[in-house]
């Protein structure tokens, strides 16, 4: 069976051709909005400005050739840099082409808001809530942005790089032993 796939009887376009198609279509549709793309170990990552992330995601999902119909994961990152401190990574998958791509967008510490993509993929709801709960990234337009791991009264974000490794003594009311 492995030999048959190498022989070319798979209906899926070769990965390299698919990457070129994705980048070409995005640049044709959005021009400068696709500020950077890079490939590492066969994985394509595209940097998109946060104010264009929803429309780029919608395009990638609704384009018939690309059909990135599955948001496999969305996660936050803390770069701990003065500019573009927080990043959001969108891991997309096309069931039609069996191709994966990664989108990244960044936001600063002072204005850590990013538009929500829940209108594109319903699964973004829980992923965005997790990024909010752990990093404090706010998702504009999210239907129910509230904590899912930490108590509502907890005022910190545990996955930020400036959060102490041992936590903050007294920040949570824990039961006595």
């Amino acid at each position: 069976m492995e030999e048959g796939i190498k022989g070319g009887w798979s209906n899926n376009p070769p990965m390299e051709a698919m990457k070129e198609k994705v980048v070409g279509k995005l640049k044709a549709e959005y021009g400068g909005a696709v500020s950077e793309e890079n490939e590492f170990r066969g994985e394509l990552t595209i940097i998109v400005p946060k104010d264009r992330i929803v429309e780029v995601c919608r395009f990638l999902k609704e384009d018939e050739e690309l059909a990135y119909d599955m948001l496999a994961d969305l996660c936050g990152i803390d770069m701990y840099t003065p500019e573009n401190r927080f990043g959001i990574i969108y891991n997309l998958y096309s069931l039609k082409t069996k191709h994966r791509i990664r989108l990244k967008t960044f936001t600063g510490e002072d204005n850590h808001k990013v538009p929500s993509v829940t209108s594109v993929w319903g699964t973004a709801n829980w992923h965005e809530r997790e990024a909010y709960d752990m990093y404090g990234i706010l998702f504009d337009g999210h239907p129910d942005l509230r904590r899912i791991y930490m108590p509502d009264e907890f005022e910190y974000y545990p996955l930020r790089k400036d959060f102490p490794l041992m936590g903050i003594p007294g920040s949570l009311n824990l039961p006595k032993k």
Side-chain angles (χ1 to χ4, degrees):
M1 187 163 196
E2 184 74 29
E3 192 61 43
I5 293 173
K6 287 181 183 176
W9 55 267
S10 172
N11 291 332
N12 302 325
M15 290 300 133
E16 201 57 43
M18 192 63 194
K19 290 174 191 170
E20 290 174 17
K21 183 180 286 191
V22 169
V23 172
K25 281 186 167 241
L26 283 175
K27 286 190 174 183
E29 186 75 22
Y30 297 103
V34 179
S35 58
E36 179 184 338
E37 83 269 348
N38 54 51
E39 186 178 337
F40 181 70
R41 294 188 177 174
E43 296 180 352
L44 177 64
T45 301
I46 301 168
I47 310 295
V48 178
K50 69 179 183 177
D51 59 330
R52 308 291 299 271
I53 192 68
V54 175
E55 62 185 294
V56 169
C57 286
R58 190 173 315 282
F59 174 79
L60 289 169
K61 180 182 180 185
E62 294 175 355
D63 183 272
E64 288 187 21
E65 284 184 282
L66 303 178
Y68 286 98
D69 45 6
M70 183 176 164
L71 174 66
D73 189 29
L74 178 157
C75 59
I77 54 173
D78 183 355
M79 305 293 287
Y80 205 52
T81 56
E83 213 175 296
N84 291 331
R85 176 174 176 176
F86 300 105
I88 298 87
I89 302 169
Y90 306 81
N91 291 300
L92 309 181
Y93 183 72
S94 171
L95 294 169
K96 179 180 178 180
T97 65
K98 298 181 180 26
H99 188 254
R100 297 177 186 277
I101 61 168
R102 179 182 305 117
L103 299 180
K104 282 187 183 180
T105 193
F106 295 94
T107 189
E109 184 173 9
D110 296 337
N111 181 15
H112 48 278
K113 291 184 179 183
V114 176
S116 173
V117 295
T118 54
S119 63
V120 181
W121 297 286
T123 57
N125 187 319
W126 285 90
H127 296 299
E128 289 177 353
R129 284 180 63 188
E130 181 180 44
Y132 162 69
D133 198 10
M134 296 289 106
Y135 293 96
I137 300 167
L138 300 171
F139 292 90
D140 281 338
H142 190 282
D144 187 22
L145 194 60
R146 60 189 162 101
R147 299 199 100 139
I148 58 176
Y149 297 128
M150 305 307 294
D152 291 335
E153 64 275 1
F154 193 70
E155 55 191 86
Y156 306 100
Y157 302 101
L159 291 184
R160 287 188 176 185
K161 289 190 176 178
D162 54 2
F163 189 80
L165 290 177
M166 297 303 291
I168 298 171
S171 64
L172 287 172
N173 289 329
L174 299 175
K176 302 282 186 219
K177 291 184 182 181

